[in-house]
Amino acid sequence: MSLTDSKRLAAYKAVDTHLNSATRIIGIGSGSTVVFVVERIVQRGNVKKNKLDGKNENSNQVLEELDLAQCVFVPTSFQSRQLIIDNGLNLGEIDQYQEIDITIDGADEVDENLNAIKGGGACHLREKVVAESSKKFIIAADYTKKSTVLGEKWIQGIPIEVIPFCYSLVLNSLRLLGCQNLNLRMGKNKAGPIITDNGNFVIDAYFGKLDGQQFLGSDKFMFINSPSEVLKRIKLLTGVVEVGLFVGMAEIAYFGEDDGHSVSILKK
Ligand SMILES: O=C(CO)[C@H](O)[C@H](O)COP(=O)(O)O
C-alpha cells in the first residue's frame, strides 16, 4: 500500500470510529494525513449521496450522517485553516472554545505508549493547544510513524519553537543539556529560517543515538524512557515557546498498515 493510501486509511478509520451526529466542535490537526480527515468528514456530511454504508474494515457499523452546518472546526495552523475554509466548513478559533469535543491530528512518530513527536510541519504549538483543549485527542498516521520508543524513526530531532531573539541562547542551553546535533530549521525557497504561524523560529534538537534502541543526551539524560522528563527539561529553557513532544495526550492512534489493514493502539 502506498504511503498516501496508508494515511487515508488511518484518517478514515479515525473519523468513522469517533465522529457521530452528536459531535459539534472538532479540532483539525495539520499535515498531509489531516487532508484525508477533512475529506472523510465532508463525505460523512452526506452519507447517502456518497453511498457510505459502514463498509469500514472489521466493522459492520452504520455510519451516521454528520450535520456539518451544526459543527465548528478549530484549526491548528494556516494550512488546516485553509483546509476548513476550502471545504466550506464552519471555522472557529481556539480562543472561542475552552473545550473541544475531539481533535484528530497526524504525528511524526508515535511510541507504544502513545507519546508522540510532532512539529515536522512546525505547527506543534497550536496543535498542542488544541489537543490539550480536547476531550479526546486522536492520532492518525501512516505505518512509517509507529515505533517502540521515540527517536527510532524521527531522527531529525525534537522540534522546538523558540522566540527569534532567543534562538542563540536556546541553542547554547540545549548543548549544555547534552544535545549533540542542533539545527535552526531553514526555509525552503526562502533565505533564512522558517517562521512559524506564531512568528517564531524552530530548532530541531537531536540528542544522539547510542545504539539501535537508546537515545542519550548527557550520561544521566535518557531520552526514550522518559519523554516527559525531556519535555520538562527543554520546556524550562528561557526562550522556548513549545516542544514537539506530546506526552500522554493521545487516547488512541490509528495507523494505516503497509498490507492495507489499519491498526489502533489504545492508551494504557
Ligand atoms: O506535527 C505535524 C505538523 O506540525 C504533523 O501532524 C506531522 O508532521 C505529520 O504530518 P503528515 O501527516 O504530513 O505525515
Side-chain angles (χ1 to χ4, degrees):
M1 170 177 258
S2 74
L3 218 52
T4 303
D5 288 342
S6 153
K7 288 172 197 272
R8 184 184 285 108
L9 179 62
Y12 279 28
K13 187 79 184 173
V15 171
D16 289 353
T17 310
H18 295 278
L19 264 59
N20 57 46
S21 56
T23 318
R24 286 289 175 268
I25 305 175
I26 302 156
I28 299 295
S30 302
S32 54
T33 311
V34 164
V35 173
F36 298 117
V37 169
V38 173
E39 181 177 277
R40 189 57 166 181
I41 288 172
V42 171
Q43 289 175 6
R44 289 277 306 277
N46 199 334
V47 165
K48 283 196 198 85
K49 183 175 151 226
N50 291 309
K51 299 191 173 71
L52 308 182
D53 57 3
K55 272 192 248 142
N56 201 356
E57 173 210 352
N58 299 332
S59 119
N60 298 317
Q61 109 196 70
V62 175
L63 294 175
E64 283 182 34
E65 188 152 300
L66 304 178
D67 186 353
L68 297 180
Q70 299 295 322
C71 296
V72 174
F73 296 85
V74 178
T76 53
S77 63
F78 180 88
Q79 179 231 355
S80 74
R81 188 173 190 277
Q82 287 307 118
L83 206 51
I84 292 165
I85 293 170
D86 291 349
N87 282 282
L89 301 171
N90 296 325
L91 179 70
E93 290 303 334
I94 181 60
D95 51 3
Q96 294 176 279
Y97 300 96
Q98 281 183 348
E99 198 168 70
I100 292 171
D101 291 326
I102 181 169
T103 291
I104 306 178
D105 201 347
D108 298 304
E109 184 174 352
V110 185
D111 75 13
E112 58 187 11
N113 295 311
L114 291 192
N115 301 311
I117 296 178
K118 287 185 53 56
C123 310
H124 49 290
L125 170 59
R126 284 176 193 238
E127 289 173 331
K128 200 177 263 192
V129 173
V130 172
E132 210 169 299
S133 308
S134 301
K135 286 189 258 181
K136 270 188 188 180
F137 174 53
I138 313 283
I139 291 177
D142 65 74
Y143 54 86
T144 64
K145 313 293 180 57
K146 187 153 58 82
S147 75
T148 315
V149 287
L150 291 183
E152 226 174 67
K153 300 276 176 73
W154 185 256
I155 53 168
Q156 73 185 56
I158 303 169
I160 304 169
E161 180 157 346
V162 299
I163 301 287
F165 77 87
C166 304
Y167 91 91
S168 181
L169 172 74
V170 178
L171 286 175
N172 203 36
S173 307
L174 285 164
R175 257 180 228 115
L176 294 175
L177 274 186
C179 189
Q180 295 183 357
N181 193 356
L182 288 162
N183 286 304
L184 181 62
R185 199 183 292 179
M186 290 295 158
K188 292 205 173 91
N189 302 323
K190 173 198 180 287
I194 62 135
I195 309 291
T196 69
D197 291 346
N198 319 300
N200 296 318
F201 291 172
V202 171
I203 291 171
D204 292 299
Y206 176 67
F207 279 84
K209 203 166 190 177
L210 192 69
D211 58 34
Q213 297 298 313
Q214 291 180 319
F215 268 84
L216 292 181
S218 71
D219 50 355
K220 296 191 202 81
F221 194 7
M222 180 89 77
F223 183 138
I224 13 169
N225 293 328
S226 55
S228 60
E229 189 56 28
V230 178
L231 169 60
K232 273 186 230 154
R233 302 263 305 252
I234 299 175
K235 190 85 189 262
L236 277 175
L237 302 177
T238 304
V240 167
V241 179
E242 196 47 79
V243 184
L245 282 173
F246 285 44
V247 178
M249 296 184 77
E251 184 167 302
I252 189 163
Y254 294 90
F255 300 93
E257 290 292 295
D258 200 8
D259 65 3
H261 284 85
S262 67
V263 294
S264 57
I265 301 180
L266 251 176
K267 191 173 187 169
K268 288 175 189 150

PDB file of all heavy atoms in Angstrom, residues 16 40 44 47 51-64:
ATOM      1  N   ASP A  16     -14.386   7.717  11.134  1.00  0.00           N
ATOM      2  CA  ASP A  16     -15.557   6.826  11.180  1.00  0.00           C
ATOM      3  C   ASP A  16     -15.792   6.259  12.577  1.00  0.00           C
ATOM      4  O   ASP A  16     -16.922   6.004  12.972  1.00  0.00           O
ATOM      5  CB  ASP A  16     -15.392   5.682  10.171  1.00  0.00           C
ATOM      6  CG  ASP A  16     -15.529   6.186   8.746  1.00  0.00           C
ATOM      7  OD1 ASP A  16     -15.882   7.369   8.577  1.00  0.00           O
ATOM      8  OD2 ASP A  16     -15.282   5.413   7.805  1.00  0.00           O
ATOM      9  N   ARG A  40     -12.873  12.918   4.626  1.00  0.00           N
ATOM     10  CA  ARG A  40     -13.857  11.962   5.136  1.00  0.00           C
ATOM     11  C   ARG A  40     -15.000  12.674   5.871  1.00  0.00           C
ATOM     12  O   ARG A  40     -16.164  12.265   5.758  1.00  0.00           O
ATOM     13  CB  ARG A  40     -13.165  10.966   6.079  1.00  0.00           C
ATOM     14  CG  ARG A  40     -14.034   9.813   6.501  1.00  0.00           C
ATOM     15  CD  ARG A  40     -14.576   9.032   5.318  1.00  0.00           C
ATOM     16  NE  ARG A  40     -15.145   7.751   5.691  1.00  0.00           N
ATOM     17  CZ  ARG A  40     -15.667   6.888   4.832  1.00  0.00           C
ATOM     18  NH1 ARG A  40     -15.713   7.183   3.536  1.00  0.00           N
ATOM     19  NH2 ARG A  40     -16.156   5.736   5.240  1.00  0.00           N
ATOM     20  N   ARG A  44     -18.894  12.352   5.051  1.00  0.00           N
ATOM     21  CA  ARG A  44     -19.865  11.966   6.094  1.00  0.00           C
ATOM     22  C   ARG A  44     -20.982  13.005   6.250  1.00  0.00           C
ATOM     23  O   ARG A  44     -21.992  12.743   6.897  1.00  0.00           O
ATOM     24  CB  ARG A  44     -19.143  11.791   7.436  1.00  0.00           C
ATOM     25  CG  ARG A  44     -18.246  10.570   7.540  1.00  0.00           C
ATOM     26  CD  ARG A  44     -19.008   9.317   7.909  1.00  0.00           C
ATOM     27  NE  ARG A  44     -19.803   9.462   9.102  1.00  0.00           N
ATOM     28  CZ  ARG A  44     -19.354   9.339  10.354  1.00  0.00           C
ATOM     29  NH1 ARG A  44     -18.081   9.032  10.560  1.00  0.00           N
ATOM     30  NH2 ARG A  44     -20.152   9.491  11.380  1.00  0.00           N
ATOM     31  N   VAL A  47     -24.041  11.102   3.837  1.00  0.00           N
ATOM     32  CA  VAL A  47     -23.783   9.661   3.811  1.00  0.00           C
ATOM     33  C   VAL A  47     -24.475   8.979   2.626  1.00  0.00           C
ATOM     34  O   VAL A  47     -23.879   8.173   1.906  1.00  0.00           O
ATOM     35  CB  VAL A  47     -24.233   9.031   5.155  1.00  0.00           C
ATOM     36  CG1 VAL A  47     -24.323   7.527   5.054  1.00  0.00           C
ATOM     37  CG2 VAL A  47     -23.268   9.437   6.261  1.00  0.00           C
ATOM     38  N   LYS A  51     -22.913   7.306  -0.684  1.00  0.00           N
ATOM     39  CA  LYS A  51     -23.072   5.843  -0.607  1.00  0.00           C
ATOM     40  C   LYS A  51     -22.144   5.218   0.439  1.00  0.00           C
ATOM     41  O   LYS A  51     -21.489   4.205   0.200  1.00  0.00           O
ATOM     42  CB  LYS A  51     -22.839   5.200  -1.972  1.00  0.00           C
ATOM     43  CG  LYS A  51     -23.808   5.652  -3.038  1.00  0.00           C
ATOM     44  CD  LYS A  51     -23.673   4.752  -4.272  1.00  0.00           C
ATOM     45  CE  LYS A  51     -24.716   5.041  -5.302  1.00  0.00           C
ATOM     46  NZ  LYS A  51     -24.570   6.307  -6.014  1.00  0.00           N
ATOM     47  N   LEU A  52     -22.083   5.846   1.608  1.00  0.00           N
ATOM     48  CA  LEU A  52     -21.266   5.285   2.691  1.00  0.00           C
ATOM     49  C   LEU A  52     -22.180   4.382   3.501  1.00  0.00           C
ATOM     50  O   LEU A  52     -23.167   4.836   4.063  1.00  0.00           O
ATOM     51  CB  LEU A  52     -20.710   6.388   3.594  1.00  0.00           C
ATOM     52  CG  LEU A  52     -19.964   7.524   2.910  1.00  0.00           C
ATOM     53  CD1 LEU A  52     -19.434   8.503   3.942  1.00  0.00           C
ATOM     54  CD2 LEU A  52     -18.807   6.986   2.097  1.00  0.00           C
ATOM     55  N   ASP A  53     -21.857   3.126   3.541  1.00  0.00           N
ATOM     56  CA  ASP A  53     -22.773   2.199   4.210  1.00  0.00           C
ATOM     57  C   ASP A  53     -22.096   1.450   5.345  1.00  0.00           C
ATOM     58  O   ASP A  53     -22.526   0.386   5.755  1.00  0.00           O
ATOM     59  CB  ASP A  53     -23.342   1.207   3.199  1.00  0.00           C
ATOM     60  CG  ASP A  53     -22.226   0.457   2.492  1.00  0.00           C
ATOM     61  OD1 ASP A  53     -21.053   0.686   2.857  1.00  0.00           O
ATOM     62  OD2 ASP A  53     -22.515  -0.342   1.606  1.00  0.00           O
ATOM     63  N   GLY A  54     -21.044   2.013   5.869  1.00  0.00           N
ATOM     64  CA  GLY A  54     -20.411   1.366   7.015  1.00  0.00           C
ATOM     65  C   GLY A  54     -19.517   0.213   6.614  1.00  0.00           C
ATOM     66  O   GLY A  54     -19.271  -0.677   7.411  1.00  0.00           O
ATOM     67  N   LYS A  55     -18.985   0.250   5.413  1.00  0.00           N
ATOM     68  CA  LYS A  55     -18.096  -0.830   4.988  1.00  0.00           C
ATOM     69  C   LYS A  55     -16.692  -0.630   5.561  1.00  0.00           C
ATOM     70  O   LYS A  55     -15.691  -0.994   4.974  1.00  0.00           O
ATOM     71  CB  LYS A  55     -18.036  -0.884   3.463  1.00  0.00           C
ATOM     72  CG  LYS A  55     -19.122  -1.759   2.883  1.00  0.00           C
ATOM     73  CD  LYS A  55     -18.859  -2.023   1.415  1.00  0.00           C
ATOM     74  CE  LYS A  55     -19.904  -1.332   0.564  1.00  0.00           C
ATOM     75  NZ  LYS A  55     -19.456  -0.762  -0.661  1.00  0.00           N
ATOM     76  N   ASN A  56     -16.701   0.024   6.710  1.00  0.00           N
ATOM     77  CA  ASN A  56     -15.462   0.263   7.420  1.00  0.00           C
ATOM     78  C   ASN A  56     -14.849  -1.086   7.792  1.00  0.00           C
ATOM     79  O   ASN A  56     -15.526  -1.917   8.358  1.00  0.00           O
ATOM     80  CB  ASN A  56     -15.835   1.057   8.673  1.00  0.00           C
ATOM     81  CG  ASN A  56     -14.668   1.795   9.238  1.00  0.00           C
ATOM     82  OD1 ASN A  56     -13.578   1.662   8.738  1.00  0.00           O
ATOM     83  ND2 ASN A  56     -14.912   2.550  10.283  1.00  0.00           N
ATOM     84  N   GLU A  57     -13.599  -1.269   7.467  1.00  0.00           N
ATOM     85  CA  GLU A  57     -12.907  -2.524   7.716  1.00  0.00           C
ATOM     86  C   GLU A  57     -13.135  -3.051   9.140  1.00  0.00           C
ATOM     87  O   GLU A  57     -13.153  -2.289  10.091  1.00  0.00           O
ATOM     88  CB  GLU A  57     -11.417  -2.221   7.482  1.00  0.00           C
ATOM     89  CG  GLU A  57     -10.498  -3.286   7.830  1.00  0.00           C
ATOM     90  CD  GLU A  57      -9.178  -2.677   8.268  1.00  0.00           C
ATOM     91  OE1 GLU A  57      -8.996  -1.459   8.139  1.00  0.00           O
ATOM     92  OE2 GLU A  57      -8.371  -3.440   8.746  1.00  0.00           O
ATOM     93  N   ASN A  58     -13.331  -4.348   9.274  1.00  0.00           N
ATOM     94  CA  ASN A  58     -13.533  -5.007  10.577  1.00  0.00           C
ATOM     95  C   ASN A  58     -14.755  -4.503  11.334  1.00  0.00           C
ATOM     96  O   ASN A  58     -14.787  -4.546  12.545  1.00  0.00           O
ATOM     97  CB  ASN A  58     -12.333  -4.803  11.509  1.00  0.00           C
ATOM     98  CG  ASN A  58     -11.079  -5.379  10.922  1.00  0.00           C
ATOM     99  OD1 ASN A  58     -11.160  -6.325  10.159  1.00  0.00           O
ATOM    100  ND2 ASN A  58      -9.951  -4.809  11.266  1.00  0.00           N
ATOM    101  N   SER A  59     -15.712  -3.962  10.651  1.00  0.00           N
ATOM    102  CA  SER A  59     -16.847  -3.447  11.414  1.00  0.00           C
ATOM    103  C   SER A  59     -18.096  -3.411  10.546  1.00  0.00           C
ATOM    104  O   SER A  59     -18.031  -3.211   9.345  1.00  0.00           O
ATOM    105  CB  SER A  59     -16.492  -2.065  11.949  1.00  0.00           C
ATOM    106  OG  SER A  59     -17.369  -1.101  11.456  1.00  0.00           O
ATOM    107  N   ASN A  60     -19.229  -3.619  11.186  1.00  0.00           N
ATOM    108  CA  ASN A  60     -20.494  -3.520  10.456  1.00  0.00           C
ATOM    109  C   ASN A  60     -21.174  -2.206  10.791  1.00  0.00           C
ATOM    110  O   ASN A  60     -22.355  -2.048  10.590  1.00  0.00           O
ATOM    111  CB  ASN A  60     -21.420  -4.673  10.869  1.00  0.00           C
ATOM    112  CG  ASN A  60     -20.789  -5.993  10.496  1.00  0.00           C
ATOM    113  OD1 ASN A  60     -20.247  -6.111   9.409  1.00  0.00           O
ATOM    114  ND2 ASN A  60     -20.844  -6.961  11.403  1.00  0.00           N
ATOM    115  N   GLN A  61     -20.413  -1.310  11.347  1.00  0.00           N
ATOM    116  CA  GLN A  61     -21.017  -0.088  11.863  1.00  0.00           C
ATOM    117  C   GLN A  61     -21.749   0.677  10.759  1.00  0.00           C
ATOM    118  O   GLN A  61     -21.318   0.704   9.606  1.00  0.00           O
ATOM    119  CB  GLN A  61     -19.931   0.778  12.514  1.00  0.00           C
ATOM    120  CG  GLN A  61     -19.560   2.041  11.774  1.00  0.00           C
ATOM    121  CD  GLN A  61     -18.234   2.612  12.258  1.00  0.00           C
ATOM    122  OE1 GLN A  61     -17.165   2.059  12.028  1.00  0.00           O
ATOM    123  NE2 GLN A  61     -18.309   3.740  12.888  1.00  0.00           N
ATOM    124  N   VAL A  62     -22.864   1.258  11.141  1.00  0.00           N
ATOM    125  CA  VAL A  62     -23.594   2.117  10.215  1.00  0.00           C
ATOM    126  C   VAL A  62     -23.083   3.531  10.460  1.00  0.00           C
ATOM    127  O   VAL A  62     -23.081   4.010  11.597  1.00  0.00           O
ATOM    128  CB  VAL A  62     -25.109   2.036  10.490  1.00  0.00           C
ATOM    129  CG1 VAL A  62     -25.863   3.025   9.614  1.00  0.00           C
ATOM    130  CG2 VAL A  62     -25.584   0.618  10.275  1.00  0.00           C
ATOM    131  N   LEU A  63     -22.623   4.143   9.411  1.00  0.00           N
ATOM    132  CA  LEU A  63     -22.051   5.480   9.586  1.00  0.00           C
ATOM    133  C   LEU A  63     -23.164   6.511   9.674  1.00  0.00           C
ATOM    134  O   LEU A  63     -23.990   6.623   8.776  1.00  0.00           O
ATOM    135  CB  LEU A  63     -21.122   5.797   8.421  1.00  0.00           C
ATOM    136  CG  LEU A  63     -19.863   4.931   8.341  1.00  0.00           C
ATOM    137  CD1 LEU A  63     -19.083   5.245   7.076  1.00  0.00           C
ATOM    138  CD2 LEU A  63     -18.993   5.149   9.561  1.00  0.00           C
ATOM    139  N   GLU A  64     -23.157   7.252  10.773  1.00  0.00           N
ATOM    140  CA  GLU A  64     -24.169   8.304  10.946  1.00  0.00           C
ATOM    141  C   GLU A  64     -23.799   9.506  10.088  1.00  0.00           C
ATOM    142  O   GLU A  64     -22.617   9.814   9.914  1.00  0.00           O
ATOM    143  CB  GLU A  64     -24.197   8.761  12.401  1.00  0.00           C
ATOM    144  CG  GLU A  64     -24.889   7.833  13.345  1.00  0.00           C
ATOM    145  CD  GLU A  64     -24.891   8.437  14.754  1.00  0.00           C
ATOM    146  OE1 GLU A  64     -24.980   9.669  14.890  1.00  0.00           O
ATOM    147  OE2 GLU A  64     -24.781   7.647  15.692  1.00  0.00           O
TER     148      GLU A  64
END
